Amino acid sequence: MKYFEVNYLFKGQKSKTIVKSPNKHDAIAIAKIKLPGVILNVKEISAPLEDQLSTFKNQLLGSLTKKKIKMPSLIAAMRQLSVMTDAGISIHDSVKEVASATVDKTLQEIFNSVNDDLNSGHSLTQAMMAYRNELGDVTIAMIELGESTGNMAESLEKLSEILEEIEENRQKFKKALRYPITVVIAISIAFSILMIYVVPKFKDIFLKLKAELPLPTKILLFMENLINNYGIYLLIVIVGTIIFVKYMLRNNENFKKGFDQYILKVYLIGDIIFYATLSRFTLVFTELIRAGIPIADALDTALLTLDNTYLKRKLSAVKISVQRGISLTESFRDTGLFEGMLIQMIQAGEHSGTLDKMLEKVTNYFKSRFNDIIDNIASYIEPILLGFIAAMVLLMALGIFMPMWDMAKAVKT
């Protein structure tokens, strides 16, 4: 809803009020019905501060209390839909049956709503588009593929396989991170205990010296003061920052663009996002090409699977180039996202009429690179982890022992 300031004349006096409406035309219509006198002008304005705060509060609470669909439940639902539609059961009856069979309450609500939309004459894609955030872009893309090709059962089966692969990769990623996260948490707890109970005792001794303390000791005492006196505020700031970043990613397009471009440059995380995203994109694109969908339309649907706005903008340029008559090979080369070997494979597929097979090889390449990172993530993180541990131990040792060495020298002299 947009906000409009309406200026009107009533009994010789000018007045103004604010009207909420989707567009200016509706705002004028509402004003004519509700307001007495003559409407002078209507102009769009920004939302009042009170409404902005109310919207922020509702969105923030919504993001914190929002129920997520469990991936195993979604996979099971899509497999059930695939089996039922393959058996010749109508999509309407299939959706209705899945809604009653699923144990996930959120998914049940979604399928009941989709069932109502199907009764109203909407297509399955249109009905599910309202729940794009909950179901995921891949789900919408594959359902749209099923409706486009007329083979919904096969598309739903392929969707189940894609979702299973995504879930498997997610679990592998979590498992790989379990060890380094456990180590970091353990070190952080140990370091915090030392700061709270051990360092303060040495602090009193150092203060009695009344001498210039070395830099490591100053850093140590600064951290001790920060944790002991402002620890709760520090924790609130960290949690608040995380919540704020999540909110901005959901509601601020410019912030998300900058964040998505920056995250691709972060060590290891950038590669994981890059290869996972391109693997998913080329997988859906391959299936669409194999189904006989025109390249421009296939790109349109495959782009729905992209969450990263930077990669989406780069790959959106491929569609524009193809529509201008530029070959798919040149269009992909211009993005700068594909290695020379992959470009050659796509070019060979275009020239030989086996584009779908070559794109499948490209998909397998991105998938293998992603799996290689996930399978060896512990070895990639280990040097950083050892460096972190060494830095903490060194800081603690130097911070405490350097002043004591100075004390020993002073005693000898």
Side-chain angles (χ1 to χ4, degrees):
M1 298 293 283
K2 298 178 181 178
Y3 292 79
F4 296 89
E5 182 184 280
V6 181
N7 292 283
Y8 63 98
L9 187 66
F10 180 63
K11 293 183 178 180
Q13 292 186 343
K14 287 184 179 181
S15 301
K16 62 181 179 181
T17 188
I18 295 175
V19 173
K20 287 198 295 184
S21 172
N23 52 63
K24 187 174 181 179
H25 181 269
D26 289 349
I28 294 172
I30 293 170
K32 286 180 178 179
I33 295 171
K34 291 187 174 182
L35 301 177
V38 180
I39 306 298
L40 298 176
N41 60 67
V42 177
K43 62 179 180 180
E44 186 177 347
I45 59 171
S46 58
L49 180 60
E50 185 179 346
D51 285 13
Q52 289 181 17
L53 292 173
S54 177
T55 302
F56 175 78
K57 177 184 174 183
N58 292 334
Q59 289 177 340
L60 186 61
L61 290 174
S63 63
L64 292 175
T65 59
K66 186 179 179 181
K67 296 179 180 178
K68 292 185 177 180
I69 298 173
K70 295 177 181 177
M71 186 61 80
S73 298
L74 181 59
I75 294 169
M78 292 306 160
R79 284 211 176 275
Q80 187 178 353
L81 271 179
S82 173
V83 171
M84 293 180 73
T85 51
D86 191 41
I89 301 173
S90 69
I91 193 66
H92 175 272
D93 292 336
S94 300
V95 168
K96 190 175 181 180
E97 180 61 30
V98 171
S100 61
T102 184
V103 295
D104 191 299
K105 297 297 182 184
T106 305
L107 195 59
Q108 189 177 60
E109 292 173 6
I110 290 173
F111 273 96
N112 282 328
S113 176
V114 168
N115 181 50
D116 293 337
D117 289 340
L118 290 174
N119 287 334
S120 301
H122 295 287
S123 67
L124 185 60
T125 304
Q126 291 171 332
M128 287 193 166
M129 190 64 79
Y131 303 99
R132 180 176 171 179
N133 291 333
E134 290 82 0
L135 298 173
D137 292 323
V138 176
T139 301
I140 303 299
M142 293 307 291
I143 288 174
E144 186 175 359
L145 169 63
E147 289 189 323
S148 301
T149 60
N151 196 340
M152 183 61 76
E154 186 179 335
S155 291
L156 289 170
E157 177 65 24
K158 193 66 182 178
L159 170 61
S160 303
E161 293 174 6
I162 294 172
L163 293 176
E164 281 182 345
E165 186 177 319
I166 292 172
E167 178 63 12
E168 183 183 347
N169 289 336
R170 184 183 289 122
Q171 293 303 324
K172 285 169 67 177
F173 185 60
K174 285 182 179 180
K175 186 177 179 181
L177 286 180
R178 195 172 297 155
Y179 166 71
I181 288 176
T182 303
V183 172
V184 170
I185 291 174
I187 293 172
S188 300
I189 292 173
F191 191 76
S192 298
I193 291 173
L194 288 172
M195 285 292 179
I196 294 171
Y197 296 105
V198 178
V199 174
K201 294 180 179 179
F202 285 96
K203 182 180 179 181
D204 295 335
I205 298 174
F206 297 156
L207 291 175
K208 290 177 182 178
L209 288 175
K210 295 181 180 179
E212 182 67 22
L213 296 174
L215 181 62
T217 306
K218 289 180 178 179
I219 295 173
L220 201 63
L221 293 179
F222 171 77
M223 294 175 69
E224 180 272 334
N225 181 60
L226 194 67
I227 291 173
N228 283 320
N229 296 324
Y230 306 100
I232 186 66
Y233 303 108
L234 193 62
L235 185 62
I236 291 172
V237 168
I238 293 171
V239 174
T241 301
I242 294 171
I243 293 173
F244 176 74
V245 169
K246 286 185 175 182
Y247 171 81
M248 292 295 286
L249 286 173
R250 287 176 180 270
N251 299 282
N252 190 301
E253 189 176 342
N254 291 329
F255 182 86
K256 180 168 173 55
K257 284 180 180 178
F259 181 86
D260 285 346
Q261 185 171 357
Y262 170 77
I263 198 71
L264 290 173
K265 299 176 184 177
V266 176
Y267 172 74
L268 203 60
I269 294 175
D271 286 339
I272 291 172
I273 293 172
F274 179 81
Y275 289 117
T277 301
L278 287 186
S279 173
R280 190 162 60 244
F281 169 81
T282 52
L283 175 60
V284 175
F285 184 55
T286 302
E287 293 301 321
L288 292 167
I289 294 296
R290 185 170 288 154
I293 305 297
I295 289 177
D297 295 336
L299 286 167
D300 247 344
T301 304
L303 285 168
L304 289 174
T305 65
L306 302 182
D307 295 324
N308 188 282
T309 53
Y310 176 77
L311 293 176
K312 191 168 189 174
R313 186 172 74 252
K314 284 275 189 179
L315 291 169
S316 295
V318 175
K319 179 194 168 187
I320 298 171
S321 298
V322 168
Q323 289 175 330
R324 289 175 178 172
I326 301 174
S327 69
L328 188 64
T329 303
E330 291 300 322
S331 300
F332 275 127
R333 181 183 282 118
D334 291 341
T335 64
L337 301 175
F338 294 78
E339 297 173 24
M341 175 190 69
L342 302 180
I343 296 297
Q344 289 176 358
M345 291 168 65
I346 296 170
Q347 187 175 33
E350 272 196 299
H351 290 164
S352 63
T354 57
L355 183 59
D356 58 331
K357 292 181 180 179
M358 288 302 175
L359 284 172
E360 186 175 2
K361 293 181 184 297
V362 173
T363 302
N364 291 335
Y365 170 79
F366 284 129
K367 181 181 175 182
S368 66
R369 290 296 301 270
F370 174 80
N371 287 334
D372 177 66
I373 294 173
I374 294 298
D375 293 338
N376 299 287
I377 196 168
S379 61
Y380 289 124
I381 293 177
E382 202 168 58
I384 300 174
L385 204 59
L386 290 173
F388 175 74
I389 295 172
M392 291 295 101
V393 173
L394 189 63
L395 177 65
M396 184 67 69
L398 293 177
I400 291 177
F401 289 116
M402 283 183 73
M404 295 180 70
W405 291 335
D406 292 338
M407 288 173 64
K409 289 179 182 178
V411 170
K412 287 181 180 180
T413 56

